[in-house]
Amino acid sequence: ATQQQTAPGSTFKPISAIAGLEEQMISTGTHITCTGEFDKITPSIKCWIHPASHGSLNVVGGLENSCNYFFNEVAYKLSLNNGKYDTESGLSRLAKYAEMFGLKDVSGLEIVETPPQISDSDPLRSAIGQGTHNYTISQLARYVTTLANQGTCYNLSLLDKVTTADGTLVEDFTPTVYNQVELADSTWQ
């Protein structure tokens, strides 16, 4: 849980949705039509439902259906710099939000933890949790907990307190806040 890394896969899509909403590349009313294959880049990326498609989806539908096409389009828009596709722009915007959710640093656990890696290649594949993302289960748990409680990112701890044999408190491990993620209410909803 603290040393083995894995790609987050579709669990990363809420960060992509948040980035798209907060950077105003999409709104809650934006509809993107999944055709089953995103072909604005080469090689194209197939939605998991390909050769079928999800059709027209808003951000809620994109998340409900875990639609790769939807999040490829969001990442494509995040990657536009003066109207041109720029991988660095897309990666930078995705990383900004991954960092907000604690995915830049270890989770705070008191045992050895492998440092996380935010993807540094291919923003479209990164937006769907692929690319070069690598996180431990504990780091992903902290991120998802931050989503669930609408923005309080805690440092994780395995310990509640340390006491002497007679019960005298030596150290209290009250949860500490890593940071507070501030987003528009409409984004949280």
Side-chain angles (χ1 to χ4, degrees):
T2 62
Q3 295 180 24
Q4 182 176 342
Q5 292 181 309
T6 187
S10 292
T11 64
F12 193 83
K13 289 175 180 173
I15 287 179
S16 301
I18 289 166
L21 290 164
E22 290 291 303
E23 297 292 321
Q24 300 179 341
M25 298 297 149
I26 59 169
S27 71
T28 55
T30 299
H31 278 75
I32 294 172
T33 302
C34 170
T35 63
E37 185 172 358
F38 190 83
D39 61 3
K40 290 184 181 178
I41 63 163
T42 302
S44 63
I45 303 172
K46 293 182 174 133
C47 189
W48 68 267
I49 200 171
H50 183 270
S53 68
H54 289 109
S56 181
L57 300 169
N58 64 7
V59 68
V60 172
L63 288 166
E64 285 177 346
N65 291 282
S66 191
C67 179
N68 290 346
Y69 187 102
F70 184 92
F71 291 102
N72 288 159
E73 180 65 30
V74 170
Y76 187 83
K77 290 178 180 199
L78 287 167
S79 300
L80 293 178
N81 186 359
N82 294 321
K84 294 187 179 202
Y85 180 73
D86 174 42
T87 60
E88 291 306 314
S89 292
L91 290 168
S92 174
R93 285 177 167 160
L94 288 171
K96 172 184 172 182
Y97 292 92
E99 290 174 16
M100 290 170 71
F101 282 87
L103 291 175
K104 179 182 178 186
D105 297 310
V106 294
S107 67
L109 292 171
E110 296 85 3
I111 59 177
V112 175
E113 188 174 0
T114 303
Q117 179 181 336
I118 295 173
S119 185
D120 60 1
S121 70
D122 193 344
L124 276 69
R125 286 173 178 81
S126 296
I128 59 174
Q130 297 172 8
T132 57
H133 287 293
N134 270 306
Y135 307 107
T136 65
I137 298 302
S138 55
Q139 292 153 5
L140 292 174
R142 176 166 78 165
Y143 146 58
V144 172
T145 300
T146 306
L147 275 176
N149 71 36
Q150 291 194 356
T152 305
C153 185
Y154 288 98
N155 288 312
L156 302 183
S157 177
L158 295 170
L159 303 173
D160 178 36
K161 61 186 170 186
V162 175
T163 61
T164 62
D166 67 1
T168 304
L169 182 66
V170 173
E171 188 172 357
D172 183 8
F173 290 87
T174 302
T176 59
V177 175
Y178 172 78
N179 73 318
Q180 184 69 39
V181 179
E182 301 292 336
L183 303 174
D185 286 342
S186 59
T187 300
W188 284 121
Q189 293 170 2

